[in-house]
Amino acid sequence: MVNNTQPRWSNQTKIIVALIILAAFIFIAFRFQRVLAPIVIAVILAFILTPLVRSLNRHLNIHRAWVIFLIYILLLVTLGLFLWLIIPQLIRQISAFLFSIVQMFMETCKYFQGELELGGFIISSIRQASTPMVGRTLNAISVLVQGALWAVLTLIISFYFIKDHKKTYAGRRVSPPNLPVRCDQTAF
């Protein structure tokens, strides 16, 4: 029997240490949330696609990386077709909405003879009202490009999670500790 001379932690000490670790984890997650989001999405995507990759790899008998690449191509083509079908309809609806807004604004300007008072501000032309739209449009384009780059990064990370799955998790299976069995206990 091993003589353990170190004192055990009290329940209060365990709670304090657990709270400190939890606070540090929350701080790190909050601090690096922009970087953690693609990694978490990549892990989820890898978790979902790994059985499909394993099955196709077994049935098609081609290299794992090519199977992953094939699945990603199929996913991107499916997403592209979906967007190709949805985006034109969305653009038509937004254009019709904006046209009706501009038409209502023009009719209101005609009614007030070129000047419209909204909350104390006088708007004399549609050009002045549309100037902020240019800035918003550039901002929207910037957000779309940034989102596309994050999506590519997420796909690359998940590709390597799936491809190197066996290398990453090999030998990391945790087995239960060897506990002594008392004589009155059965093995099962």
Side-chain angles (χ1 to χ4, degrees):
M1 181 169 230
V2 178
N3 186 6
N4 194 359
T5 58
Q6 296 177 347
R8 293 184 156 260
W9 285 9
S10 68
N11 285 339
Q12 287 178 327
T13 306
K14 290 177 185 178
I15 290 173
I16 290 171
V17 168
L19 288 175
I20 289 172
I21 291 171
L22 180 65
F25 179 75
I26 290 172
F27 173 76
I28 289 170
F30 180 74
R31 181 79 172 121
F32 297 106
Q33 66 185 349
R34 290 182 54 96
V35 175
L36 288 177
I39 294 173
V40 169
I41 292 170
V43 167
I44 292 170
L45 188 63
F47 180 75
I48 291 170
L49 292 180
T50 297
L52 180 63
V53 168
R54 189 177 303 132
S55 176
L56 286 176
N57 189 10
R58 209 175 306 131
H59 290 340
L60 297 177
N61 199 20
I62 58 176
H63 194 266
R64 188 175 181 89
W66 285 108
V67 171
I68 298 167
F69 185 70
L70 177 68
I71 290 172
Y72 278 178
I73 292 295
L74 289 174
L75 283 175
L76 290 174
V77 165
T78 305
L79 179 66
L81 286 174
F82 178 74
L83 291 177
W84 181 65
L85 293 173
I86 295 296
I87 286 180
Q89 181 67 24
L90 187 64
I91 288 173
R92 278 193 294 271
Q93 289 180 0
I94 289 174
S95 296
F97 175 72
L98 290 177
F99 180 74
S100 65
I101 293 289
V102 168
Q103 193 173 22
M104 287 187 320
F105 187 77
M106 292 292 288
E107 289 176 11
T108 307
C109 286
K110 283 181 188 176
Y111 180 76
F112 289 107
Q113 298 174 354
E115 292 187 354
L116 174 65
E117 186 172 336
L118 293 173
F121 297 103
I122 296 177
I123 303 173
S124 62
S125 70
I126 295 176
R127 189 177 340 154
Q128 290 174 348
S130 64
T131 304
M133 287 182 166
V134 174
R136 287 189 213 134
T137 303
L138 291 176
N139 190 25
I141 291 171
S142 169
V143 168
L144 286 174
V145 168
Q146 184 179 10
L149 290 176
W150 279 113
V152 168
L153 177 68
T154 301
L155 288 176
I156 290 171
I157 292 171
S158 66
F159 176 85
Y160 283 106
F161 278 152
I162 296 170
K163 181 182 172 293
D164 297 336
H165 178 264
K166 290 182 181 180
K167 293 178 190 174
T168 305
Y169 300 110
R172 295 193 186 196
R173 294 203 171 104
V174 179
S175 59
N178 294 329
L179 299 176
V181 179
R182 295 190 328 219
C183 293
D184 59 336
Q185 291 178 331
T186 61
F188 299 101

